Amino acid sequence: MTSGAGAEPGTTGGHGTLRGIALKIVSVAVFVGMQTCIKAAGDVPAGQIVFFRSFFAIFPIIAFLALKGHLATAFVTKRPFNHVARGVVGVGAMGLGFFALTRLPLPEAITLNYAQPLLVVVFSSVFLGETIRVYRWSAVAVGLIGVLIISWPELTLLNSDEALDDQEVLGVMAALVAAAISAVAMLLVRNLVQTEKTATIVLWFSSTASVLSLLTLPFGWQSLTPAQAALLIMAGFCGGLGQILMTSAYRHAEASVVAPFEYTSMILGVVVGYFVFGDVTSLSTLVGGLIVIAAGIFIIWRERQLGLERKRTRKATLPQG
């Protein structure tokens, strides 16, 4: 849902950490606002939503970069094909995610997206050959059980004749495929952040996604009411603003401190879903969501421990003067 580019390192400290956490929580609220706008716009084709979300996100990002004096070099890259590849994969994930969002209760759509960090661990092992030890594999297994609990009420309908006509079944399937594709997109971003600035990754993605989404124009874009257009434009602005806030959060505090606050989106999703859309969160979503969150936080903690271990190893092997 919210994933974007990694952030360049910034200063951390007591106040910086609190500021980072606050910015992360605000960014999560803004992204939930984006999802709320998209859901409130009704049954709009996914490609059309991707266009509004990507194109109108560019404006707050450009304004922010201009303010910081970084606009002139933001688009400069030696790896355009890598950015386009990330864009193609990201657009697929975004389109399926928005399709799911328009067909599922808001809390369920948000919670199923939590499968993404679990799948990043799996794909890191499969595609990048990273060594994943038993602790993280165990957390991934537990987290995927949580995903299964959330999805089970819909997945049990797959044996019935009505399955392909049931919009929630299609929504769950789309959300799970979106999480898998999004995990691949995150691997591409992890590769890009080694040489590219955050601003470059974000702008290239938004621009690529805007162009690619226009290719869906012949496949059923619809006329929008003024209210729908306003909601989708607002979703785009929220997407861009959320990206800026999220990046700033990671500049002020370590990722392992900030990342767990991503899961506040479940609380916001439950509240907004109930008061705005009348969605009553099912017990399976709550139980499964808590299991997935616990697994995700454990993985974040374990990544931090491994990072500290690697730092200690590097220091121990430095040549002595």
Side-chain angles (χ1 to χ4, degrees), residues 120-188:
V120 167
V121 174
V122 176
F123 293 164
S124 296
S125 173
V126 174
F127 298 126
L128 303 181
E130 289 185 13
T131 303
I132 311 294
R133 294 175 188 162
V134 67
Y135 297 107
R136 280 189 290 168
W137 278 127
S138 302
V140 167
V142 169
L144 292 176
I145 289 169
V147 171
L148 187 61
I149 291 170
I150 300 165
S151 314
W152 191 250
E154 280 78 26
L155 294 180
T156 50
L157 296 174
L158 286 175
N159 292 327
S160 69
D161 294 336
E162 293 83 26
L164 292 178
D165 295 325
D166 189 295
Q167 293 301 303
E168 288 203 7
V169 173
L170 294 175
V172 165
M173 292 167 70
L176 294 176
V177 176
I181 298 174
S182 183
V184 175
M186 284 310 299
L187 296 186
L188 295 173

Side-chain angles (χ1 to χ4, degrees), residues 24-61:
K24 177 64 176 178
I25 292 171
V26 175
S27 80
V28 167
V30 171
F31 279 124
V32 170
M34 177 197 81
Q35 292 168 308
T36 303
C37 288
I38 290 168
K39 190 164 178 61
D43 192 8
V44 178
Q48 195 168 0
I49 299 173
V50 170
F51 173 77
F52 276 86
R53 158 65 181 88
S54 305
F55 181 72
F56 288 99
I58 293 172
F59 294 95
I61 293 169

Side-chain angles (χ1 to χ4, degrees), residues 209-227:
S210 300
V211 173
L212 289 174
S213 60
L214 286 173
L215 300 178
T216 67
L217 189 56
F219 302 99
W221 280 31
Q222 62 188 45
S223 300
L224 301 175
T225 65

